[in-house]
């Protein structure tokens, strides 16, 4: 049979550490959301600059590319669009939360609920950053193909 006994009393250092952890948890979700908004704005600026750069292009008609190269440009642009939309949605989710209403009965206690939401927001923030960077790479590749692919 297992017997449980009380442990040693908390020291001043233990109590101080518990207060620090509680303080960090209290502001965690707000800090993550602020970081997500900053990343969203920064990556949005990057994409605007990239689109502006892509307006300076070689060929304006992909039909003048050699056989198959025009299709490659189309695939790259479709993949960039898909990654960009996924990244934007992930960044919006990280910055603003889920687009649902949680029933009151399902709400976890405040510190735990905020911590779980902060963890989810960080996951979506990381995914959004990577997807936007992938979108950027795909757009650069598509513009590069239109510049350097052989003509028909």
């Amino acid at each position: 049979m297992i017997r449980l006994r009380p442990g040693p009393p908390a020291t001043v250092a233990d109590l101080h550490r518990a207060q620090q952890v509680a303080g960090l948890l209290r502001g965690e979700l707000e800090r993550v959301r602020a970081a997500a908004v900053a990343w969203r704005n920064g990556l949005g600026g990057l994409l605007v600059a990239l689109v502006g750069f892509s307006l300076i292009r070689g060929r304006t008609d992909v039909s003048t590319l050699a056989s198959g190269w025009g299709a490659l440009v189309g695939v790259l642009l479709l993949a960039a669009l898909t990654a960009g939309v996924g990244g934007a949605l992930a960044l919006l989710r990280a910055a603003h939360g889920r687009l649902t209403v949680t029933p009151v009965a399902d709400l976890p206690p405040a510190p735990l609920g905020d911590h779980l939401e902060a963890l989810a927001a960080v996951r979506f923030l990381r995914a959004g950053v990577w997807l936007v960077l992938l979108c950027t790479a795909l757009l650069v590749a598509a513009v590069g193909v239109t510049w350097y692919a052989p003509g028909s």
Side-chain angles (χ1 to χ4, degrees):
M1 181 164 155
I2 298 175
R3 288 185 115 198
L4 296 178
R5 296 187 189 126
T11 65
V12 173
D14 294 335
L15 296 174
H16 184 63
R17 178 70 181 143
Q19 286 176 336
Q20 286 178 331
V21 169
L24 287 172
L25 284 175
R26 239 187 326 272
E28 179 183 39
L29 182 56
E30 291 80 17
R31 287 190 311 273
V32 169
R33 290 269 164 83
V37 168
W39 273 97
R40 181 198 65 197
N41 294 343
L43 290 173
L46 173 70
L47 284 179
V48 166
L50 182 66
V51 168
F53 169 74
S54 69
L55 294 177
I56 306 168
R57 55 185 170 262
R59 296 179 180 97
T60 57
D61 185 4
V62 293
S63 66
T64 62
L65 295 174
S67 179
W69 289 99
L72 176 61
V73 170
V75 168
L76 287 170
L77 290 175
L78 179 61
L81 177 66
T82 303
V85 168
L89 290 174
L91 289 171
L92 287 171
R93 165 60 174 87
H96 302 292
R98 282 185 287 172
L99 189 58
T100 61
V101 176
T102 305
V104 174
D106 295 341
L107 288 174
L112 176 62
D114 285 351
H115 180 65
L116 293 174
E117 179 57 29
L119 291 175
V122 166
R123 274 193 316 273
F124 278 97
L125 176 58
R126 286 181 183 144
V129 167
W130 282 111
L131 285 169
V132 170
L133 292 176
L134 175 63
C135 172
T136 303
L138 290 167
L139 284 173
V140 167
V143 170
V145 169
T146 62
W147 281 354
Y148 300 114
S152 55

